[in-house]
């Protein structure tokens, strides 16, 4: 029996370790460095209708225990994705989830339709939480109503696992979570990056061209844990925890708080082998602690 | 472009390695050269390529730091980097001593193109931009292409590794901003002063240094009708084309950006726009 297996909606994962969108390319970039088939799944870089060049430079800045980015959903577009990236992904023995970006509700729907026609993916993650684009990102995800509309429209198009990626930069993440759940989402990714800003003291200019960006890395893990906890109190569908995971202890912290799976993000930049390493570490942890089923840990948090 | 004598596909031989420091040499209280015992990188890397180093084993600083490969000894299986202590990353890196093992990702990026149509080369370095040019000089000498170095610095103390270029038979001309060695002024002024030498030769031009200097070199070389390759330095997160953070403005109408880590770090000046 595989003690690490978990289920997200209709999707069985061989383990709860996935890679986060925007930190893992389209998988092939890591093929020389790790065995992708050992992962529970991978989430691709966002895919939109047309190719996007992304935001002006500078796009990244390092902060204490974190980094700011404002990439702006630069991607190859759905046609190039299907022609150039999907054939490689189809050959993998892991769950491939495509992160979907759109400036309009219709764009989300049309990108999913095109990929559905091509086949071979296990699920979709709706990116209604990117803080670095003007249209369709966080501006959608900050509204429970628009989140519900995007989710409902996507639900009509696909039976594959439908995941909505939530932003922490909202008044009530629980309210957005409930809206996505009611509209037919199978799971929730909690969370996207935290809006942040850094200023160069010598030039007095913001360190990013877009002024603000998304903060990621170990600096945001406590925020992510709090958001996962909040969402467990609002929605019943499975949660995929994201935010600053660097170690097996971090994975366990998310699982205990109530996440069924996790995504590893910024850590892939520091250590491109970390995702596979975390699978090994989690196996060893379960073995050493005599845990027969990882689901025993999920949501085992004790709150008085 | 003409047939290449030396080039490589990016990321072809990429590995995550634990490399031992086997030599450490201070040129000034701030400029240091580290030598690593690592046959994989020594044997398979090409001039212009870089490595990405985790300088501490904690999250401060969080990201790796990229360094161009400065020199290799393919036979003895070592390579070197040359850097100046400036920020948190270089400070942490400079504290490691001989015997320490560092987590290194590489070799990364593309490389300088060495073309058979050029019988000579002019190398232009501003400050620590000298770093990748020694490896390039090694390869040029191997390819029987004669090279000349123009090298600018703030002052005489910061002029380093010239002896290594001498040993390769590469002639050099110096410029310093305070006039303590060579021409008083910047390296761009040195190039202007030696304009005839540049124009009359059948040389490929290779340059590395701060972006304003490289933009100036680009403009000068365009006026002289010379083909020029530059190696860029930017902030990077991953170094292998995933984070999409290390952009530079491109001159292509169809694609406004190029990625320094995977499209570069070496570019023809015609491909990029370094103006602020």
């Amino acid at each position: 029996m595989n003690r690490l297996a978990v289920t997200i909606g209709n999707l069985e994962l061989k383990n709860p370790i996935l890679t986060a969108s925007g930190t893992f390319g389209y998988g092939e970039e890591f093929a020389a460095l790790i065995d992708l088939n050992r992962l529970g799944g991978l989430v691709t870089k966002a895919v939109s209708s047309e190719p996007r060049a992304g935001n002006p430079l500078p796009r990244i800045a390092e902060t204490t225990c974190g980094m700011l980015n404002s990439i702006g959903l630069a991607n190859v577009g759905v046609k190039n994705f299907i022609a150039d990236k999907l054939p490689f992904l189809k050959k993998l023995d892991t769950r491939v989830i495509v992160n979907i970006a759109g400036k309009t509700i219709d764009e989300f729907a049309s990108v999913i339709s095109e990929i559905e026609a091509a086949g071979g993916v296990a699920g979709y993650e709706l990116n209604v939480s990117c803080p670095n684009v003007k249209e369709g990102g966080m501006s959608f995800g900050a509204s429970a109503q628009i989140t519900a509309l995007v989710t409902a429209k996507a639900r009509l198009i696909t039976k594959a696992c439908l995941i909505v990626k939530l932003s922490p930069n909202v008044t009530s993440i629980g309210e957005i979570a409930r809206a996505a759940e009611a509209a037919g989402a199978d799971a929730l990714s909690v969370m996207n990056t935290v809006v942040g800003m850094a200023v160069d003291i010598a030039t007095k200019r913001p360190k990013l061209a877009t002024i603000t960006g998304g903060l990621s890395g170990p600096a945001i893990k406590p925020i992510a844990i709090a958001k996962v906890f909040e969402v467990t109190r609002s929605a019943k569908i499975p949660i995929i925890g994201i935010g600053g995971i660097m170690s097996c202890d971090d994975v366990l912290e998310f699982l205990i708080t109530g996440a069924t799976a996790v995504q590893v993000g910024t850590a892939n930049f520091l250590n491109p082998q970390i995702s596979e390493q975390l699978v090994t570490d989690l196996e060893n942890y379960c073995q050493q602690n005599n845990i027969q089923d990882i689901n025993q840990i999920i949501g085992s948090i004790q709150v008085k | 472009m003409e047939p290449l004598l030396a080039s490589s596909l990016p990321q072809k031989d990429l590995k995550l390695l634990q490399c031992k420091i086997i030599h450490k040499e201070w040129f000034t209280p701030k400029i240091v050269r580290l030598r690593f015992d690592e046959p994989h990188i020594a044997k398979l890397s090409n001039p212009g390529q870089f490595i990405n180093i985790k300088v501490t084993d904690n999250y401060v600083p969080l990201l790796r730091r990229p360094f161009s490969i400065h020199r290799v000894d393919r036979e003895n299986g070592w390579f070197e980097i040359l850097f100046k202590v400036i920020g948190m990353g270089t400070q942490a890196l400079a504290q490691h001593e001989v015997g320490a093992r560092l987590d290194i990702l590489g070799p990364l990026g593309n490389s300088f193109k060495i073309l058979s149509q050029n019988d000579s080369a002019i190398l232009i370095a501003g400050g620590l931009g000298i770093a990748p040019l020694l490896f390039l000089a090694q390869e040029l000498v191997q390819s029987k292409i004669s090279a000349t170095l123009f090298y600018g610095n703030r002052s005489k103390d910061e002029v380093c590794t010239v002896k290594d270029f001498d040993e390769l038979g590469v002639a050099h001309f110096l410029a310093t901003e305070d006039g303590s060695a060579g021409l008083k002024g910047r390296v761009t002024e040195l190039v202007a002063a030696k304009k005839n030498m540049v124009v009359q030769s059948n040389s490929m031009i290779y340059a590395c240094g701060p972006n304003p200097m490289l933009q100036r070199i680009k403009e000068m070389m365009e006026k002289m009708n010379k083909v020029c390759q530059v190696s860029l330095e930017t902030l990077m997160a991953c170094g292998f084309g995933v984070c999409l953070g290390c952009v530079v403005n491109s001159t292509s109408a169809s694609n406004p950006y190029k990625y320094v880590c995977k499209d570069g770090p070496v570019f023809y000046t015609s491909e990029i726009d370094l103006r602020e």
Side-chain angles (χ1 to χ4, degrees):
Chain A
M1 185 199 140
N2 174 10
R3 60 175 108 206
L4 292 189
V6 295
T7 305
I8 300 276
N10 58 2
L11 212 56
E12 282 178 19
L13 307 179
K14 58 179 105 169
N15 62 65
I17 308 295
L18 300 97
T19 56
S21 180
T23 67
F24 211 67
Y26 299 99
E28 59 193 5
E29 294 88 340
F30 287 78
L33 294 163
I34 62 168
D35 179 1
L36 294 164
N37 294 333
R38 288 199 64 212
L39 302 178
L42 68 85
V43 186
T44 68
K45 177 72 186 161
V47 178
S48 54
S49 275
E50 298 300 319
R52 290 202 203 174
N55 285 337
L57 62 123
R59 289 181 178 180
I60 55 170
E62 192 176 34
T63 59
T64 308
C65 294
M67 67 175 279
L68 289 164
N69 87 77
S70 179
I71 308 303
L73 301 181
N75 80 91
V76 297
V78 68
K79 290 194 172 57
N80 293 320
F81 170 75
I82 290 168
D84 302 336
K85 309 296 180 185
L86 194 54
F88 171 83
L89 292 168
K90 276 184 177 176
K91 280 188 258 166
L92 297 177
D93 178 26
T94 188
R95 301 299 190 183
V96 174
I97 294 162
V98 184
N99 184 281
I100 307 290
K103 290 179 180 170
T104 61
I105 296 174
D106 285 344
E107 185 178 348
F108 278 93
S110 76
V111 175
I112 295 173
S113 294
E114 286 193 56
I115 300 171
E116 281 287 281
V121 311
Y124 302 95
E125 183 181 66
L126 304 179
N127 186 351
V128 289
S129 44
C130 175
N132 301 320
V133 292
K134 284 201 185 92
E135 306 151 291
M138 208 168 79
S139 66
F140 274 19
S143 155
Q145 196 189 350
I146 300 178
T147 300
L149 286 171
V150 176
T151 308
K153 185 131 191 194
R155 183 74 289 169
L156 290 175
I157 298 165
T158 180
K159 290 192 172 64
C161 187
L162 188 61
I163 304 162
V164 179
K165 188 168 183 179
L166 304 181
S167 167
N169 309 294
V170 294
T171 312
S172 168
I173 196 170
E175 188 191 329
I176 316 285
R178 271 195 304 275
E181 180 179 42
D186 294 310
L188 301 164
S189 287
V190 181
M191 60 187 204
N192 209 315
T193 54
V194 180
V195 170
M197 179 169 166
V199 179
D200 185 318
I201 59 166
T203 63
K204 299 190 168 68
R205 289 184 190 167
K207 288 189 178 175
L208 299 177
T210 52
I211 303 178
T212 60
L215 181 65
S216 66
I220 68 166
K221 194 189 70 177
I223 302 173
I225 294 287
K227 296 298 168 189
V228 166
F229 184 72
E230 194 178 337
V231 172
T232 62
R233 295 299 191 248
S234 311
K236 292 189 174 59
I237 51 178
I239 296 166
I240 303 172
I242 317 168
I245 292 172
M246 308 295 288
S247 67
C248 186
D249 285 4
D250 296 337
V251 173
L252 291 163
E253 195 177 347
F254 274 94
L255 298 183
I256 290 166
T257 305
T260 302
V262 297
Q263 293 176 14
V264 184
T266 299
N268 292 311
F269 300 155
L270 281 66
N271 176 1
Q273 296 175 334
I274 185 78
S275 53
E276 187 182 356
Q277 184 62 48
L278 290 176
V279 175
T280 305
D281 291 351
L282 199 58
E283 271 167 4
N284 291 341
Y285 176 87
C286 289
Q287 205 149 31
Q288 283 155 18
N289 293 278
N290 200 23
I291 294 162
Q292 298 308 316
D293 182 354
I294 193 81
N295 288 286
Q296 293 166 5
I297 291 178
I298 293 166
S300 61
I301 188 168
Q302 301 291 316
V303 184
K304 276 191 181 168
Chain B
M1 281 290 138
E2 291 301 300
L4 307 180
L5 293 183
S7 84
S8 82
L9 290 169
Q11 287 132 51
K12 191 180 52 152
D13 302 306
L14 182 57
K15 273 192 178 174
L16 190 60
L17 302 155
Q18 299 295 318
C19 309
K20 190 161 100 179
I21 301 174
I22 53 170
H23 191 68
K24 184 178 185 181
E25 181 181 3
W26 289 95
F27 288 93
T28 75
K30 296 244 164 175
I31 298 175
V32 63
R33 179 153 74 180
L34 294 181
R35 181 179 300 171
F36 295 93
D37 177 27
E38 183 46 70
H40 179 77
I41 290 175
K43 289 198 165 74
L44 294 175
S45 60
N46 288 301
Q49 287 194 287
F50 67 98
I51 54 167
N52 215 357
I53 308 183
K54 189 79 185 80
V55 296
T56 64
D57 53 14
N58 55 44
Y59 309 146
V60 183
L62 182 68
L63 301 174
R64 288 172 182 269
R65 292 293 188 270
F67 295 90
S68 57
I69 299 168
H70 169 58
R71 179 164 68 168
V72 303
D73 185 329
R74 298 201 195 272
E75 213 169 295
N76 292 306
W78 56 254
F79 73 94
E80 291 175 330
I81 60 168
L82 177 78
F83 64 97
K84 187 175 183 178
V85 176
I86 291 171
M88 186 195 289
T90 44
Q91 202 151 26
L93 181 58
Q95 277 165 10
H96 294 290
E97 300 298 339
V98 169
R101 278 182 187 276
L102 296 183
D103 178 327
I104 290 180
L105 187 65
L108 291 159
N110 70 354
S111 51
F112 289 112
K113 280 82 181 170
I114 299 174
L115 307 186
S116 56
Q117 70 201 40
N118 301 111
D119 52 25
S120 60
I122 288 173
L123 317 187
I124 305 169
L128 266 293
I130 195 74
L133 300 184
L134 183 57
F135 186 10
L136 173 63
Q138 287 185 299
E139 208 72 9
L140 289 167
V141 168
Q142 281 264 305
S143 304
K144 307 252 183 309
I145 293 173
S146 73
T148 306
L149 172 68
F150 295 146
Y151 183 17
N153 270 294
R154 282 209 191 101
S155 95
K156 191 183 173 183
D157 323 334
E158 299 200 326
V159 177
C160 54
T161 74
V162 164
K163 204 172 118 264
D164 304 309
F165 283 91
D166 288 346
E167 280 170 14
L168 288 170
V170 174
H172 69 266
F173 298 94
L174 299 178
T176 50
E177 285 175 43
D178 65 2
S180 53
L183 180 91
K184 185 175 191 310
R186 296 179 175 223
V187 73
T188 46
E189 292 164 80
L190 178 62
V191 173
K194 300 282 176 192
K195 188 182 162 189
N196 285 345
M197 202 177 144
V198 178
V199 174
Q200 282 161 19
S201 70
N202 169 33
S203 292
M204 175 64 78
I205 315 297
Y206 301 94
C208 187
N211 279 2
M213 167 203 141
L214 295 180
Q215 178 62 26
R216 181 82 189 99
I217 294 289
K218 169 184 158 95
E219 288 159 10
M220 291 170 79
M221 293 306 142
E222 276 165 9
K223 270 193 197 129
M224 294 183 211
N225 220 4
K226 301 296 291 185
V227 179
C228 178
Q229 299 174 39
V230 295
S231 173
L232 301 186
E233 184 175 46
T234 59
L235 212 62
M236 282 181 191
C238 69
F240 56 104
V242 171
C243 74
L244 308 182
C246 61
V247 273
V248 56
N249 290 317
S250 100
T251 50
S252 147
S254 61
N255 193 348
Y257 304 114
K258 286 191 177 286
Y259 295 99
V260 174
C261 77
K262 61 173 182 175
D263 301 326
V266 179
F267 294 95
Y268 284 102
T269 49
S270 56
E271 299 175 278
I272 51 163
D273 183 349
L274 295 171
R275 287 172 297 183
E276 280 258 326

